[in-house]
Amino acid sequence: MITEVRRRWGGWKMDGYVKGFIVCSLGYLLLGAALGFTMAVHDALVPGSWSNWTWLLLPTHTHVLLIGWLSMMVFGVGYHMIPRFSGFLVWSPRLAWTHFWLANLGLWGMGTGFWLNRLQEDRWGWLVGAGGACQGAAFFCFAVNLSVTIWLAGGPRPVMVPEGESLATRLAARVAAAASRPPVIEPVEPSQTPASIIGRIPGALDVFLSFGFAGLADPEHVRTMASRITLAQAAARHGVNLADLVAALNAAAAAPPARPKLFKELGLKAAPEACCPECAEKEGHAHPHQH
């Protein structure tokens, strides 16, 4: 999962709107702390003046910390982490930027409007309302953007191909990618049992049979005897060179999957191999014949 995230996002770099939300959040934290410090110092120096500075600045102080600091930190972290948890890119970076500017504009409108409205006897209620509308639109952008991102993450991953390419080209690209995929099967060790090796390596049974382990052709023998002894013990019993057997099994583990299997995974039928250059030149038609 971590490797896939690093491949798709180019490491752990932040998008511009994520940085914007986090930087603004820290700035609003300092602004809210400054407003709170101002109210506390004024009340301490001028006892009984709560109805003056504190009454004027309290709504602005509260909204700067709640919407400015906490909410914008949540927005930034959400835009950064939820796509990485879901394995899908943010649905609309443009909508995220719209959310960023609406949230900041709305916060400044509300914060300034609350202060002016109390300072000039309810003459700035329209500014508070406009700021609140911007905040509501910003919350809506956030909810829609991440909801669609999570919904898309539950569906199939899109195939990224240049415009104009056909479906056959896309499927061929998938087949090539599957064929070049590195093996993930762990290497064979002498301490492992033949049964476990046969269970996880598709071509292991053929390797054992080629080395003279004829009893492994019986599934019951594999289930009982081959699961109780190690590969080293089995090689010693049959007089087989252990190093050669391990090397052959590891080679089978590293072998790429068969071509028909790749086409089967894509729901296609593998075309037969051309039997001669003349057949190969024909449009996908290869048929054996006598030369």
Side-chain angles (χ1 to χ4, degrees):
M1 176 63 183
I2 294 179
T3 302
E4 175 66 13
V5 167
R6 287 178 177 173
R7 181 183 70 80
R8 296 186 63 188
W9 278 273
W12 295 105
K13 297 179 181 179
M14 293 184 181
D15 294 300
Y17 49 85
V18 174
K19 293 181 181 179
F21 274 117
I22 293 178
V23 170
C24 287
S25 171
L26 298 177
Y28 289 130
L29 171 63
L30 298 178
L31 177 59
L35 292 175
F37 179 77
T38 300
M39 292 186 296
V41 171
H42 186 271
D43 290 347
L45 296 179
V46 186
S49 62
W50 186 93
S51 61
N52 189 5
W53 281 54
T54 302
W55 183 80
L56 289 175
L57 296 178
L58 185 59
T60 301
H61 167 72
T62 303
H63 284 79
V64 165
L65 289 180
L66 181 61
I67 299 179
W69 172 40
L70 292 178
S71 296
M72 291 203 180
M73 182 62 72
V74 170
F75 295 151
V77 173
Y79 276 128
H80 186 72
M81 295 307 300
I82 290 180
R84 284 155 176 80
F85 288 150
S86 64
F88 206 88
L89 298 173
V90 171
W91 174 58
S92 176
R94 181 176 297 179
L95 187 60
W97 276 115
T98 303
H99 170 204
F100 172 78
W101 292 113
L102 284 175
N104 280 278
L105 183 63
L107 178 59
W108 280 99
M110 293 179 67
T112 306
F114 278 127
W115 175 64
L116 292 176
N117 208 35
R118 290 196 170 188
L119 187 65
Q120 298 184 1
E121 299 180 354
D122 299 333
R123 297 180 182 178
W124 296 87
W126 64 269
L127 184 57
V128 176
C134 289
Q135 282 295 333
F139 292 151
F140 181 77
C141 292
F142 179 71
V144 170
N145 209 352
L146 287 192
S147 296
V148 176
T149 299
I150 295 172
W151 178 75
L152 290 176
R157 297 293 187 271
V159 181
M160 305 303 294
V161 296
E163 294 184 359
E165 292 192 356
S166 63
L167 178 61
T169 304
R170 300 183 185 187
L171 295 178
R174 287 191 175 185
V175 171
S180 61
R181 189 176 302 151
V184 295
I185 300 177
E186 62 176 307
V188 175
E189 300 291 343
S191 59
Q192 299 170 355
T193 63
S196 65
I197 297 172
I198 294 173
R200 74 173 191 274
I201 299 177
L205 180 58
D206 294 334
V207 173
F208 278 113
L209 295 178
S210 66
F211 275 81
F213 293 86
L216 296 180
D218 182 7
E220 184 65 20
H221 183 78
V222 175
R223 187 182 66 83
T224 56
M225 296 300 299
S227 60
R228 298 178 183 177
I229 62 175
T230 64
L231 183 63
Q233 293 171 340
R237 289 186 180 184
H238 289 77
V240 175
N241 187 286
L242 179 61
D244 293 342
L245 179 58
V246 170
L249 290 172
N250 281 322
R259 179 170 173 266
K261 183 179 179 180
L262 295 177
F263 276 78
K264 184 178 180 181
E265 293 175 354
L266 296 174
L268 303 176
K269 293 183 179 180
E273 299 292 339
C275 57
C276 63
E278 290 76 9
C279 292
E281 293 177 358
K282 296 182 179 181
E283 298 179 357
H285 300 285
H287 50 274
H289 59 267
Q290 298 295 331
H291 295 284

